[in-house]
Amino acid sequence: MAGPARRLPDRPMPYWLADDRPARLTVRSPEQDAEVARRVDTLLGKIKDRSAVVGVVGLGYVGLPFAVEKAKVGFRVIGVEQNPKRAARVNAADNYIEDVVDTDLHELVGKGRVRAVTDFAEVPQMDVIVIAVPTPLTINLTPDLQYVENVTHELAKYIRPGQLISLESTTYPGTTDEVMLPILERSGLKADQDFFLAHSPERVDPGNKRFNTKNTNKVVGGVGPASQTVAVAFYSQAIENIVPVSSAKAAEMVKVYENTFRAVNIALVNEMLLLCDRMGLSVWEVLDAAFTKPFGIMPFYPGPGVGGHCIPLDPHYLEWKAREFNFNTHFIALAGEINRKMPEFVRQKAARELNRFGKAVSRSKILALGVSYKRDVGDWRESPAIEVIKLLQEERAEVVYHDPHVPDFREHGLAMESTPLTDELLSECDLVVILTEHSAVDHARVVARSKCVLDTRNATRKVTEGREKIVLL
Ligand SMILES: NC(=O)c1ccc[n+]([C@@H]2O[C@H](COP(=O)([O-])OP(=O)(O)OC[C@H]3O[C@@H](n4cnc5c(N)ncnc54)[C@H](O)[C@@H]3O)[C@@H](O)[C@H]2O)c1
């Protein structure tokens, strides 16, 4: 007969992981408990002595750096990547992610510690499987979980007892428990008993030189106590500080809250910018002064909008889930509305500046300086810069772009290539619009050689000569 839930023997556990787990996951016989304890111990042993084989599904901005970090601390890593070109590049040690050090990948691939495959046939060899696939939105701004679901169906075909599966993709609270767990249990194996399941959101900040995978605190939430124990042990191997939370759902909520926090605060400064523009004030001056307050305030800066794979998308995952609870997330809706307005405001301000010189947008040549969504990275997904280019082209301006990190891009029906930043180009353009502040660009030179510069990022703050040519957004 099934007895009450018991703690696993000799395993220290935080109080919130103890006896308040859902009954479905915790009611087990003493024999089952002993079996679970044995599986936990086996996996912990393999994690500790690095004999555990780590699978990483999705070798993109998150997955490839993760695979390299795990291999660096001694695990053998197999990446499952559906894009055959990417898989081939990994196997050829041909790095395509800026946050990965070329020589690290070269060394690890050479030693056989990292390799990539394009299907799931090797899943039974893996002890830990981390999922880092995209979680985009549909055109109606609802969650598109097709990648997570496809991967989970594939894993369910090959799953074996004793494995840990951890979802790193950002998603709404409930995905791991309500979407993944039932699919995986169709294999006949039970979560937190036969296999372990957790959510640990990725917090990578591409291009950040100070915080990397190792020194960024990692939130971990298992679907039950056994899952929590092995997931915490696994992540502790390469990361300095682990933050356990009581459930996978709580871990999912932590991540969407973090991204919502950014989206809302960016929207707030963007709204301030729109108001300051009407009032004839410089928002940049106001913010610089406001951020001298040593407490109770945190710097956020306005710009041409928000981009990347996180801030414009993730809050809408929460917004959608909240509706199930008859709850409207007002801040998320409002932040999305304001941030999406910004590219149009940049277009208006560009037209205003050109008018000052008697130029129509349709007869102007405009240089868009920077197209990636943030400084010093090559990721242009959801970039507001591309939206600005599109809006200016719709007004029949001739638009070229330069971005030292983005040689070309295809988005919104646009296909463009970066133009070299020559003195001739700068002098022949009627307007230069700085859309991304890359440190590789000499902004003093840009101002010196240009007729007029619309600076949406305050990238020219240190430029002293030719300030009369600069208009801040
Ligand atoms: N990029 C970031 O800065 C960042 C930061 C934190 C969290 N995240 C989250 O991490 C997740 C992954 O983001 P990313 O930026 O690494 O995405 P990405 O598009 O760079 O990489 C995802 C990879 O998964 C592969 N893939 C898709 N379906 C697959 C399948 N069925 N089998 C095997 N491979 C498959 C794709 O081919 C791609 O290479 C998303 O949920 C994102 O929101 C991203």
Side-chain angles (χ1 to χ4, degrees), residues 56-65 80-83 86 96-97 99 117-118 120 131-136 146-148 150-152 154 168-171 201-206 255 259 308-310 313-314 317 373-374 379 381:
V56 180
V57 184
L59 294 175
Y61 285 93
V62 168
L64 190 58
V80 181
E81 169 53 62
Q82 73 170 10
N83 179 339
R86 281 198 158 177
Y96 51 87
I97 298 287
D99 278 354
V117 294
T118 51
F120 288 75
I131 303 169
V133 293
T135 43
Q146 60 164 312
Y147 299 95
V148 172
N150 289 346
V151 168
T152 313
E154 285 299 321
E168 295 239 351
S169 302
T170 310
T171 185
E202 177 53 61
R203 282 172 159 171
V204 68
D205 181 19
K255 174 71 188 182
N259 285 351
H309 204 331
C310 298
L313 312 186
D314 303 343
Y317 267 67
Y373 80 94
K374 66 179 224 180
D379 190 352
R381 295 176 299 179

Side-chain angles (χ1 to χ4, degrees), residues 147-395:
Y147 299 95
V148 172
E149 286 179 13
N150 289 346
V151 168
T152 313
H153 280 292
E154 285 299 321
L155 291 176
K157 288 185 204 161
Y158 297 100
I159 193 171
R160 63 159 171 81
Q163 287 176 319
L164 163 67
I165 295 174
S166 176
L167 178 67
E168 295 239 351
S169 302
T170 310
T171 185
Y172 61 78
T175 307
T176 309
D177 284 271
E178 295 159 16
V179 178
M180 291 183 68
L181 187 147
I183 297 173
L184 292 167
E185 286 195 340
R186 274 183 226 152
S187 64
L189 301 180
K190 282 258 155 275
D192 211 48
Q193 184 169 311
D194 301 317
F195 67 94
F196 311 112
L197 181 61
H199 180 76
S200 181
E202 177 53 61
R203 282 172 159 171
V204 68
D205 181 19
N208 193 322
K209 302 277 179 260
R210 183 167 166 221
F211 289 106
N212 50 39
T213 312
K214 194 168 187 293
N215 65 7
T216 302
N217 303 335
K218 187 95 169 109
V219 173
V220 179
V223 299
S227 300
Q228 180 74 353
T229 302
V230 288
V232 167
F234 171 65
Y235 284 107
S236 305
Q237 304 307 308
I239 296 165
E240 282 165 13
N241 194 20
I242 302 298
V243 183
V245 291
S246 66
S247 62
K249 215 179 247 183
E252 288 157 339
M253 186 61 123
V254 170
K255 174 71 188 182
V256 274
Y257 168 70
E258 289 166 9
N259 285 351
T260 300
F261 175 84
R262 274 194 73 71
V264 167
N265 280 285
I266 293 169
L268 179 63
V269 285
N270 279 336
E271 191 174 61
M272 284 297 285
L273 179 142
L274 297 173
L275 176 62
C276 285
D277 181 72
R278 290 216 183 164
M279 294 175 75
L281 283 165
S282 164
V283 73
W284 306 96
E285 181 192 3
V286 171
L287 294 177
D288 274 355
F291 298 149
T292 60
K293 186 181 176 195
F295 43 82
I297 200 156
M298 191 179 276
F300 281 92
Y301 293 95
V306 288
H309 204 331
C310 298
I311 310 298
L313 312 186
D314 303 343
H316 295 294
Y317 267 67
L318 188 57
E319 187 179 35
W320 176 85
K321 185 67 179 175
R323 280 190 221 127
E324 192 180 309
F325 298 86
N326 198 19
F327 189 94
N328 286 327
T329 49
H330 300 289
F331 277 101
I332 293 176
L334 190 56
E337 192 186 308
I338 294 169
N339 289 333
R340 277 193 296 274
K341 260 190 212 164
M342 297 312 290
E344 171 55 24
F345 180 68
V346 177
R347 186 199 63 77
Q348 283 172 21
K349 196 133 179 178
R352 213 196 288 172
E353 286 317 305
L354 287 165
N355 266 338
R356 284 203 306 135
F357 300 98
K359 270 271 177 187
V361 177
S362 60
R363 296 216 190 91
S364 303
K365 179 163 180 172
I366 299 174
L367 170 66
L369 195 46
V371 291
S372 63
Y373 80 94
K374 66 179 224 180
R375 61 179 295 159
D376 297 342
V377 301
D379 190 352
W380 43 262
R381 295 176 299 179
E382 310 288 330
S383 175
I386 294 178
E387 183 66 18
V388 171
I389 293 176
K390 200 175 130 211
L391 290 171
L392 291 168
Q393 284 189 344
E394 278 170 10
E395 298 248 318

Side-chain angles (χ1 to χ4, degrees), residues 61 96-99 206-209 368-381 401-409 416-419 421 436-441 443:
Y61 285 93
Y96 51 87
I97 298 287
E98 282 173 310
D99 278 354
N208 193 322
K209 302 277 179 260
L369 195 46
V371 291
S372 63
Y373 80 94
K374 66 179 224 180
R375 61 179 295 159
D376 297 342
V377 301
D379 190 352
W380 43 262
R381 295 176 299 179
Y401 89 87
H402 172 80
D403 191 312
H405 296 270
V406 185
D408 54 63
F409 71 84
M416 296 178 73
E417 280 180 20
S418 179
T419 312
L421 193 62
T436 317
E437 184 190 355
H438 287 307
S439 34
V441 172
H443 291 102

